[in-house]
Structures are given as structure tokens and as C-alpha cells.
Amino acid sequence: LPPLDGPLKVVVIDSKSENPQQDMDENWVAMIDALGHASTISDPSILSSEEFFDGTDVLIVSSGIKSIPPQDIATLLAFVESGKGLYIQSEYLANYGGNIAFASVAQSLGADFTWTGKVTGQLKPVAVNGCLSGHDGCAGELPYFWYAQSGQSTAEGFEPFLDKDGKDIGFSYCPP
């Protein structure tokens, strides 16, 4: 990830086009703007090329349920390989688009990442650990979290940053 101080230019991929109640994109934009960064919500079609790379520091795929075509996953990988920050929302089922994309990007970067199982129910609170804990713009815990898919990786550069009862449900990657 690039340094979290900014201002950064953040592109958030639309989450509401499949389901208007999936408003994660708006939540991300509100948080990003409140932290003093510049954000925009974009259609998933921007992933069909690398044209957006130059004007983007961080890319957020805000919906974990949408299918992400293999060519768009390749664009996500190229974005990370170019030194940019990427967040991919995952969900509680390993066969959802965000989970598939995250595992694919992680494995392409040489990780032995695998999804290991569902964590069900209201997962509150969820601890924020690792490289994101203690940052001025990050909370120490998430007061509300609903279902998740746990995963694991022992690869260098991968760090779990969300934990619920000893199960890792969020990951960051910083190239070694």
C-alpha cells in the first residue's frame, strides 16, 4: 500500500449496480473524503484497461458479491504490481467474485493463500491488527461485522489485519 497520509486519489468501484442496497461504495467515499483524500465512484468497466492507473493511488473493489472476469482480475494484479494500493472486498462464500479475485491476485504474487471456511453470525467486535492498527485513520476494532470467510497464508508480505476469535478474515499485502 502507498503511505496512508495523503491526499491520495482513490477510485471506488461501484457496488450498487447489482443491488441498490449494497451501498459500500458510498460508505467508502464518505470515509475517504472525511480523511481528506479525493475519491470517485467508477463503473467496473474501467477494469477493462490500465488507463486509470496514472490518476489513481488506491483502488477499492467495494462489492464482494459481483463476478469479476479473469481479464479484470489481471488488471487488478497489474495495478498492484505497478506499486499501487488495492482493496478487494471479500464475502462469506469463497466462490463470490471478490474472494475469487483476492485469492487469484494473492496466488499470482506468489502467496500460498487459501480460503479456509465461513465464520457465521454477527461478528462483533472484530479486531484490527497488523499494519493498519494504530494508524490515526483506523479504528482498533470494527463494532459491526456480518459473516466472513476466513483464510490463511504464510507467504512473505501477507499480513492478517482482521481477526475474529483467532480466525483471520482480512489481509494486507506489502511486497517484501
Side-chain angles (χ1 to χ4, degrees):
L1 286 171
L4 294 177
D5 40 310
L8 299 174
K9 297 174 194 163
V10 182
V11 171
V12 180
I13 301 297
D14 163 69
S15 63
K16 292 187 301 188
S17 58
E18 269 185 46
N19 181 341
Q21 294 180 322
Q22 297 281 320
D23 61 354
M24 292 81 67
D25 53 0
E26 292 177 354
N27 290 322
W28 274 108
V29 164
M31 183 190 68
I32 292 162
D33 292 350
L35 290 171
H37 303 294
S39 65
T40 184
I41 296 175
S42 294
D43 188 81
S45 64
I46 70 160
L47 298 177
S48 65
S49 77
E50 297 181 7
E51 291 177 18
F52 71 93
F53 283 22
D54 285 340
T56 306
D57 297 310
V58 176
L59 176 65
I60 295 174
V61 180
S62 63
S63 173
I65 63 172
K66 286 184 176 185
S67 177
I68 303 172
Q71 65 272 19
D72 292 358
I73 293 173
T75 303
L76 297 175
L77 175 62
F79 188 77
V80 171
E81 289 176 330
S82 75
K84 308 286 185 137
L86 173 65
Y87 173 86
I88 302 174
Q89 176 65 43
S90 65
E91 283 292 338
Y92 72 102
L93 295 177
N95 63 346
Y96 278 173
N99 299 60
I100 292 168
F102 181 84
S104 178
V105 169
Q107 291 162 359
S108 294
L109 293 168
D112 58 346
F113 183 85
T114 57
W115 293 112
T116 57
K118 284 191 278 189
V119 183
T120 60
Q122 291 188 21
L123 313 178
K124 55 183 182 180
V126 171
V128 178
N129 303 307
C131 65
L132 293 180
S133 67
H135 186 278
D136 290 343
C138 298
E141 67 180 27
L142 302 177
Y144 179 80
F145 208 94
W146 181 255
Y147 285 67
Q149 180 71 211
S150 61
Q152 65 183 22
S153 177
T154 57
E156 187 177 6
F158 274 85
E159 179 180 65
F161 75 90
L162 291 178
D163 171 83
K164 180 60 180 171
D165 298 332
K167 295 181 180 176
D168 298 324
I169 57 174
F171 302 87
S172 62
Y173 171 76
C174 296

Coordinates of all heavy atoms in Angstrom, one line a residue, residues 36-109:
G36 N -9.7 13.3 4.2 CA -9.0 14.4 3.4 C -8.5 13.9 2.1 O -7.7 14.6 1.4
H37 N -8.9 12.7 1.6 CA -8.4 12.2 0.3 C -9.5 12.5 -0.7 O -10.6 12.9 -0.4 CB -8.2 10.7 0.4 CG -7.2 10.3 1.5 ND1 -5.9 10.6 1.4 CD2 -7.3 9.6 2.6 CE1 -5.2 10.2 2.5 NE2 -6.1 9.6 3.2
A38 N -9.1 12.3 -2.0 CA -10.0 12.6 -3.1 C -10.5 11.2 -3.6 O -9.8 10.3 -3.9 CB -9.3 13.3 -4.2
S39 N -11.9 11.1 -3.7 CA -12.4 9.8 -4.2 C -13.4 10.0 -5.3 O -14.0 11.1 -5.5 CB -13.2 9.2 -3.0 OG -14.3 9.9 -2.6
T40 N -13.6 9.0 -6.0 CA -14.6 8.9 -7.1 C -15.2 7.5 -7.2 O -14.4 6.5 -7.0 CB -14.1 9.4 -8.4 OG1 -15.1 9.4 -9.4 CG2 -13.0 8.5 -8.9
I41 N -16.4 7.4 -7.5 CA -17.0 6.1 -7.8 C -17.0 5.8 -9.3 O -17.5 6.7 -10.0 CB -18.5 6.0 -7.2 CG1 -18.5 6.1 -5.7 CG2 -19.1 4.7 -7.6 CD1 -19.8 6.2 -5.0
S42 N -16.5 4.7 -9.7 CA -16.4 4.4 -11.1 C -17.1 3.1 -11.4 O -17.2 2.2 -10.6 CB -14.9 4.2 -11.5 OG -14.3 5.5 -11.4
D43 N -17.5 2.9 -12.6 CA -18.1 1.7 -13.2 C -17.1 0.6 -13.3 O -15.9 0.9 -13.6 CB -18.7 2.0 -14.5 CG -19.5 0.9 -15.1 OD1 -20.7 0.8 -14.7 OD2 -19.0 0.1 -15.9
P44 N -17.4 -0.6 -13.0 CA -16.5 -1.7 -13.1 C -15.8 -1.8 -14.5 O -14.7 -2.4 -14.6 CB -17.3 -3.0 -12.9 CG -18.5 -2.5 -12.1 CD -18.7 -1.1 -12.6
S45 N -16.4 -1.2 -15.5 CA -15.8 -1.3 -16.9 C -14.4 -0.6 -17.0 O -13.7 -0.9 -17.9 CB -16.7 -0.6 -17.9 OG -16.9 0.8 -17.6
I46 N -14.0 0.2 -16.0 CA -12.7 0.8 -16.0 C -11.6 -0.3 -15.9 O -10.5 0.0 -16.3 CB -12.5 1.9 -15.0 CG1 -12.4 1.4 -13.6 CG2 -13.5 3.0 -15.1 CD1 -11.8 2.3 -12.6
L47 N -12.0 -1.4 -15.3 CA -11.0 -2.5 -15.2 C -10.7 -3.2 -16.5 O -9.8 -4.1 -16.5 CB -11.5 -3.5 -14.2 CG -11.8 -3.0 -12.8 CD1 -12.4 -4.1 -11.9 CD2 -10.5 -2.5 -12.1
S48 N -11.3 -2.8 -17.6 CA -11.0 -3.4 -18.9 C -9.7 -2.9 -19.5 O -9.2 -3.4 -20.5 CB -12.2 -3.2 -19.8 OG -12.3 -1.8 -20.1
S49 N -9.1 -1.9 -18.9 CA -7.8 -1.4 -19.4 C -7.0 -0.8 -18.2 O -7.5 -0.7 -17.1 CB -8.0 -0.3 -20.4 OG -8.4 0.9 -19.8
E50 N -5.8 -0.4 -18.4 CA -4.9 0.2 -17.4 C -4.9 1.7 -17.5 O -4.1 2.4 -16.8 CB -3.5 -0.4 -17.5 CG -3.4 -1.9 -17.3 CD -2.0 -2.4 -17.4 OE1 -1.1 -1.7 -17.5 OE2 -1.9 -3.7 -17.4
E51 N -5.8 2.3 -18.2 CA -5.8 3.8 -18.4 C -6.0 4.5 -17.1 O -5.5 5.7 -17.0 CB -6.9 4.2 -19.4 CG -6.7 3.7 -20.8 CD -7.8 4.0 -21.8 OE1 -8.6 4.9 -21.4 OE2 -7.8 3.4 -22.9
F52 N -6.7 4.0 -16.1 CA -6.9 4.7 -14.9 C -5.7 4.7 -13.9 O -5.7 5.4 -12.9 CB -8.2 4.1 -14.2 CG -8.0 2.8 -13.6 CD1 -7.6 2.6 -12.3 CD2 -8.2 1.6 -14.4 CE1 -7.4 1.4 -11.7 CE2 -8.0 0.4 -13.8 CZ -7.6 0.2 -12.5
F53 N -4.7 3.9 -14.2 CA -3.6 3.7 -13.3 C -2.9 5.1 -12.9 O -2.6 5.3 -11.8 CB -2.5 2.8 -13.9 CG -2.8 1.4 -13.8 CD1 -4.1 0.9 -13.8 CD2 -1.8 0.4 -13.9 CE1 -4.4 -0.5 -13.7 CE2 -2.0 -0.9 -13.9 CZ -3.3 -1.4 -13.8
D54 N -2.6 5.9 -13.9 CA -1.9 7.2 -13.7 C -2.6 8.1 -12.7 O -1.9 8.8 -11.9 CB -1.6 7.9 -15.0 CG -0.5 7.2 -15.8 OD1 0.3 6.5 -15.2 OD2 -0.4 7.5 -17.0
G55 N -3.9 8.2 -12.7 CA -4.6 9.1 -11.9 C -5.2 8.4 -10.6 O -6.0 9.0 -9.9
T56 N -4.7 7.3 -10.2 CA -5.2 6.5 -9.1 C -4.1 6.0 -8.2 O -3.1 5.4 -8.7 CB -6.1 5.3 -9.6 OG1 -7.0 5.8 -10.5 CG2 -6.7 4.6 -8.4
D57 N -4.2 6.3 -6.9 CA -3.2 5.8 -5.9 C -3.7 4.5 -5.3 O -2.9 3.6 -5.0 CB -3.0 6.8 -4.8 CG -2.4 8.1 -5.3 OD1 -1.4 8.0 -6.1 OD2 -2.9 9.2 -5.0
V58 N -5.0 4.5 -5.0 CA -5.6 3.3 -4.4 C -6.9 3.0 -5.1 O -7.7 3.9 -5.5 CB -6.0 3.6 -2.9 CG1 -6.7 2.4 -2.3 CG2 -4.7 3.9 -2.1
L59 N -7.1 1.7 -5.4 CA -8.3 1.2 -6.0 C -9.1 0.3 -5.0 O -8.5 -0.5 -4.4 CB -8.0 0.4 -7.2 CG -9.1 -0.3 -8.0 CD1 -10.1 0.7 -8.6 CD2 -8.6 -1.2 -9.0
I60 N -10.4 0.5 -4.9 CA -11.2 -0.2 -3.9 C -12.3 -0.9 -4.7 O -13.1 -0.3 -5.4 CB -11.8 0.7 -2.9 CG1 -10.7 1.3 -2.0 CG2 -12.8 -0.1 -2.0 CD1 -11.2 2.3 -1.0
V61 N -12.3 -2.3 -4.7 CA -13.4 -3.1 -5.2 C -14.3 -3.3 -4.1 O -14.1 -4.1 -3.2 CB -12.9 -4.4 -5.8 CG1 -14.0 -5.2 -6.4 CG2 -11.8 -4.2 -6.9
S62 N -15.4 -2.5 -4.1 CA -16.3 -2.4 -2.9 C -17.3 -3.4 -2.7 O -17.9 -3.6 -1.7 CB -16.9 -1.0 -2.8 OG -17.8 -0.8 -3.9
S63 N -17.6 -4.2 -3.8 CA -18.5 -5.3 -3.6 C -17.8 -6.6 -3.8 O -17.1 -6.9 -4.7 CB -19.6 -5.2 -4.8 OG -20.4 -6.3 -4.7
G64 N -18.1 -7.5 -2.8 CA -17.5 -8.8 -2.8 C -18.4 -9.8 -3.5 O -18.0 -11.0 -3.8
I65 N -19.6 -9.5 -3.9 CA -20.5 -10.4 -4.5 C -20.5 -10.4 -6.0 O -20.9 -11.4 -6.6 CB -22.0 -10.2 -3.9 CG1 -22.5 -8.9 -4.3 CG2 -22.1 -10.4 -2.4 CD1 -24.0 -8.7 -4.0
K66 N -20.1 -9.3 -6.6 CA -20.1 -9.2 -8.0 C -19.1 -10.1 -8.7 O -17.9 -10.3 -8.2 CB -19.8 -7.8 -8.5 CG -20.9 -6.8 -8.3 CD -20.5 -5.5 -8.8 CE -21.6 -4.5 -8.7 NZ -21.3 -3.2 -9.4
S67 N -19.4 -10.7 -9.8 CA -18.5 -11.5 -10.5 C -17.4 -10.6 -11.2 O -17.7 -9.5 -11.6 CB -19.2 -12.3 -11.6 OG -18.3 -13.0 -12.4
I68 N -16.2 -11.0 -11.1 CA -15.1 -10.2 -11.7 C -14.4 -11.1 -12.8 O -13.8 -12.1 -12.5 CB -14.1 -9.8 -10.6 CG1 -14.8 -9.0 -9.5 CG2 -12.9 -9.0 -11.3 CD1 -13.9 -8.7 -8.3
P69 N -14.5 -10.7 -14.1 CA -14.0 -11.5 -15.1 C -12.5 -11.7 -15.0 O -11.8 -10.8 -14.5 CB -14.4 -10.8 -16.4 CG -15.4 -9.8 -16.0 CD -15.2 -9.5 -14.5
P70 N -11.9 -12.8 -15.5 CA -10.5 -13.0 -15.5 C -9.6 -11.9 -16.0 O -8.6 -11.5 -15.4 CB -10.3 -14.3 -16.3 CG -11.6 -15.0 -16.2 CD -12.6 -13.9 -16.2
Q71 N -10.1 -11.2 -17.1 CA -9.3 -10.1 -17.6 C -9.3 -8.9 -16.7 O -8.3 -8.2 -16.6 CB -9.8 -9.7 -19.0 CG -11.2 -9.1 -19.1 CD -12.2 -10.2 -19.3 OE1 -12.1 -11.4 -19.0 NE2 -13.4 -9.7 -19.7
D72 N -10.3 -8.7 -15.9 CA -10.3 -7.6 -14.9 C -9.5 -8.0 -13.7 O -8.8 -7.1 -13.1 CB -11.8 -7.3 -14.5 CG -12.6 -6.7 -15.6 OD1 -12.1 -6.5 -16.7 OD2 -13.8 -6.5 -15.3
I73 N -9.4 -9.3 -13.4 CA -8.5 -9.7 -12.3 C -7.1 -9.5 -12.7 O -6.3 -9.1 -11.9 CB -8.8 -11.2 -11.9 CG1 -10.2 -11.3 -11.3 CG2 -7.7 -11.7 -10.9 CD1 -10.6 -12.8 -11.0
A74 N -6.8 -9.7 -14.0 CA -5.4 -9.4 -14.5 C -5.1 -7.9 -14.4 O -4.0 -7.6 -14.0 CB -5.3 -9.9 -15.9
T75 N -6.1 -7.1 -14.6 CA -5.9 -5.6 -14.4 C -5.6 -5.3 -12.9 O -4.7 -4.5 -12.6 CB -7.1 -4.8 -14.9 OG1 -7.3 -5.1 -16.3 CG2 -6.9 -3.3 -14.8
L76 N -6.3 -5.9 -12.0 CA -6.1 -5.7 -10.6 C -4.7 -6.1 -10.2 O -4.0 -5.4 -9.5 CB -7.1 -6.5 -9.7 CG -8.6 -6.2 -9.9 CD1 -9.5 -7.1 -9.1 CD2 -8.9 -4.7 -9.5
L77 N -4.2 -7.3 -10.7 CA -2.9 -7.7 -10.5 C -1.9 -6.7 -11.0 O -0.9 -6.3 -10.3 CB -2.6 -9.1 -11.1 CG -1.2 -9.6 -11.0 CD1 -0.8 -9.8 -9.5 CD2 -1.1 -11.0 -11.7
A78 N -2.1 -6.2 -12.2 CA -1.1 -5.3 -12.8 C -1.1 -4.0 -12.0 O -0.1 -3.3 -11.9 CB -1.6 -5.0 -14.3
F79 N -2.3 -3.6 -11.5 CA -2.3 -2.4 -10.6 C -1.4 -2.6 -9.4 O -0.6 -1.7 -9.1 CB -3.8 -2.1 -10.2 CG -4.0 -0.8 -9.5 CD1 -4.0 0.4 -10.2 CD2 -4.2 -0.8 -8.2 CE1 -4.3 1.6 -9.6 CE2 -4.4 0.4 -7.5 CZ -4.5 1.6 -8.2
V80 N -1.5 -3.7 -8.7 CA -0.7 -4.0 -7.5 C 0.8 -4.0 -7.9 O 1.6 -3.4 -7.3 CB -1.1 -5.3 -6.8 CG1 -0.1 -5.7 -5.8 CG2 -2.5 -5.1 -6.3
E81 N 1.1 -4.7 -9.0 CA 2.4 -4.8 -9.5 C 3.1 -3.5 -9.9 O 4.3 -3.3 -9.9 CB 2.5 -5.8 -10.7 CG 2.3 -7.2 -10.2 CD 2.3 -8.2 -11.3 OE1 1.9 -7.9 -12.5 OE2 2.7 -9.4 -11.1
S82 N 2.2 -2.5 -10.2 CA 2.7 -1.1 -10.5 C 3.0 -0.3 -9.3 O 3.4 0.8 -9.4 CB 1.7 -0.4 -11.4 OG 0.6 0.0 -10.7
G83 N 2.8 -0.9 -8.1 CA 3.1 -0.3 -6.8 C 1.9 0.5 -6.2 O 2.1 1.2 -5.2
K84 N 0.8 0.2 -6.7 CA -0.4 0.9 -6.2 C -1.1 0.1 -5.1 O -0.9 -1.1 -5.0 CB -1.4 1.2 -7.3 CG -0.8 1.9 -8.5 CD -0.6 3.3 -8.3 CE -0.1 4.0 -9.5 NZ -0.7 5.3 -9.8
G85 N -2.0 0.7 -4.3 CA -2.8 0.1 -3.3 C -4.1 -0.5 -3.8 O -4.8 0.2 -4.6
L86 N -4.5 -1.7 -3.4 CA -5.7 -2.3 -3.8 C -6.4 -2.9 -2.6 O -5.8 -3.6 -1.8 CB -5.4 -3.4 -4.8 CG -6.5 -4.3 -5.3 CD1 -7.6 -3.5 -6.0 CD2 -6.0 -5.5 -6.1
Y87 N -7.7 -2.6 -2.5 CA -8.6 -3.3 -1.6 C -9.6 -4.1 -2.3 O -10.3 -3.5 -3.2 CB -9.2 -2.3 -0.6 CG -10.3 -2.9 0.3 CD1 -9.9 -3.5 1.5 CD2 -11.6 -3.0 -0.1 CE1 -10.8 -4.1 2.3 CE2 -12.5 -3.6 0.8 CZ -12.1 -4.2 2.0 OH -13.0 -4.8 2.8
I88 N -9.8 -5.3 -2.0 CA -10.8 -6.2 -2.7 C -11.7 -6.7 -1.5 O -11.3 -7.4 -0.6 CB -10.2 -7.4 -3.4 CG1 -9.3 -6.9 -4.5 CG2 -11.4 -8.2 -4.0 CD1 -8.5 -8.0 -5.2
Q89 N -13.0 -6.3 -1.6 CA -14.0 -6.8 -0.6 C -14.2 -8.2 -0.8 O -14.5 -8.7 -1.9 CB -15.3 -6.0 -0.7 CG -16.4 -6.5 0.2 CD -16.0 -6.3 1.7 OE1 -15.5 -5.2 2.0 NE2 -16.3 -7.2 2.5
S90 N -14.1 -9.0 0.2 CA -14.5 -10.4 0.1 C -15.8 -10.6 0.9 O -16.3 -9.7 1.5 CB -13.4 -11.3 0.7 OG -13.3 -11.1 2.1
E91 N -16.4 -11.8 0.8 CA -17.6 -12.1 1.4 C -17.5 -13.5 2.1 O -16.5 -14.1 2.1 CB -18.8 -12.1 0.4 CG -19.2 -10.7 0.0 CD -19.9 -10.0 1.1 OE1 -20.4 -10.6 2.1 OE2 -19.9 -8.7 1.0
Y92 N -18.6 -13.9 2.6 CA -18.6 -15.2 3.4 C -18.5 -16.4 2.6 O -18.3 -17.5 3.2 CB -19.8 -15.2 4.4 CG -21.1 -15.4 3.8 CD1 -21.7 -16.6 3.8 CD2 -21.8 -14.4 3.1 CE1 -23.0 -16.9 3.2 CE2 -23.0 -14.6 2.5 CZ -23.6 -15.8 2.6 OH -24.8 -16.0 2.0
L93 N -18.7 -16.4 1.3 CA -18.6 -17.6 0.5 C -17.4 -17.4 -0.4 O -17.2 -16.4 -1.1 CB -19.9 -17.7 -0.4 CG -21.2 -18.0 0.4 CD1 -22.4 -18.1 -0.6 CD2 -21.1 -19.3 1.2
A94 N -16.6 -18.5 -0.4 CA -15.3 -18.5 -1.2 C -15.6 -18.4 -2.7 O -14.6 -18.0 -3.4 CB -14.5 -19.7 -0.9
N95 N -16.8 -18.7 -3.2 CA -17.0 -18.6 -4.6 C -17.6 -17.3 -5.1 O -17.9 -17.2 -6.3 CB -17.9 -19.8 -5.1 CG -19.3 -19.8 -4.5 OD1 -19.5 -19.0 -3.5 ND2 -20.2 -20.5 -5.0
Y96 N -17.6 -16.3 -4.2 CA -18.1 -15.0 -4.7 C -16.9 -14.3 -5.4 O -15.7 -14.6 -5.2 CB -18.5 -14.1 -3.5 CG -19.9 -14.4 -3.0 CD1 -20.4 -13.8 -1.9 CD2 -20.8 -15.2 -3.7 CE1 -21.7 -14.0 -1.4 CE2 -22.1 -15.4 -3.3 CZ -22.6 -14.8 -2.1 OH -23.8 -15.0 -1.7
G97 N -17.3 -13.3 -6.2 CA -16.3 -12.6 -7.1 C -15.1 -12.0 -6.4 O -14.0 -12.1 -6.8
G98 N -15.4 -11.3 -5.2 CA -14.3 -10.7 -4.5 C -13.3 -11.7 -3.9 O -12.1 -11.5 -4.0
N99 N -13.9 -12.8 -3.4 CA -13.0 -13.8 -2.9 C -12.1 -14.5 -3.9 O -10.9 -14.7 -3.7 CB -13.9 -14.9 -2.2 CG -14.7 -14.4 -1.0 OD1 -15.5 -13.5 -1.3 ND2 -14.5 -14.9 0.2
I100 N -12.8 -14.8 -5.1 CA -12.0 -15.4 -6.2 C -10.9 -14.4 -6.7 O -9.8 -14.8 -6.9 CB -13.0 -15.7 -7.3 CG1 -13.9 -16.9 -6.9 CG2 -12.2 -16.1 -8.6 CD1 -15.0 -17.1 -7.8
A101 N -11.2 -13.1 -6.8 CA -10.3 -12.1 -7.3 C -9.1 -12.0 -6.3 O -7.9 -12.0 -6.7 CB -10.9 -10.8 -7.5
F102 N -9.4 -11.9 -5.0 CA -8.4 -11.8 -4.0 C -7.4 -13.0 -4.0 O -6.2 -12.8 -4.0 CB -8.9 -11.6 -2.6 CG -7.9 -11.4 -1.5 CD1 -7.3 -10.2 -1.3 CD2 -7.4 -12.5 -0.8 CE1 -6.3 -10.0 -0.4 CE2 -6.3 -12.3 0.1 CZ -5.8 -11.1 0.3
A103 N -8.0 -14.2 -4.0 CA -7.2 -15.4 -4.0 C -6.3 -15.4 -5.2 O -5.1 -15.8 -5.2 CB -8.0 -16.6 -3.8
S104 N -6.9 -15.1 -6.4 CA -6.1 -15.1 -7.6 C -5.0 -14.1 -7.6 O -3.8 -14.5 -8.0 CB -7.1 -14.8 -8.8 OG -6.4 -14.8 -10.0
V105 N -5.2 -12.9 -7.2 CA -4.2 -11.9 -7.1 C -3.1 -12.3 -6.1 O -1.9 -12.3 -6.4 CB -4.7 -10.5 -6.7 CG1 -3.6 -9.5 -6.4 CG2 -5.6 -9.9 -7.9
A106 N -3.5 -12.8 -5.0 CA -2.5 -13.3 -4.0 C -1.7 -14.4 -4.5 O -0.4 -14.4 -4.4 CB -3.3 -13.7 -2.7
Q107 N -2.3 -15.4 -5.1 CA -1.5 -16.5 -5.7 C -0.6 -16.1 -6.8 O 0.5 -16.6 -6.9 CB -2.5 -17.6 -6.1 CG -3.2 -18.3 -4.9 CD -4.4 -19.0 -5.2 OE1 -4.8 -19.1 -6.3 NE2 -5.0 -19.6 -4.2
S108 N -1.1 -15.1 -7.6 CA -0.2 -14.6 -8.7 C 1.0 -13.9 -8.2 O 2.0 -13.8 -8.8 CB -1.0 -13.7 -9.6 OG -2.0 -14.4 -10.3
L109 N 0.9 -13.3 -7.0 CA 2.0 -12.7 -6.3 C 2.9 -13.6 -5.6 O 3.8 -13.2 -4.9 CB 1.5 -11.6 -5.4 CG 0.8 -10.4 -6.1 CD1 0.1 -9.5 -5.0 CD2 1.8 -9.6 -6.9

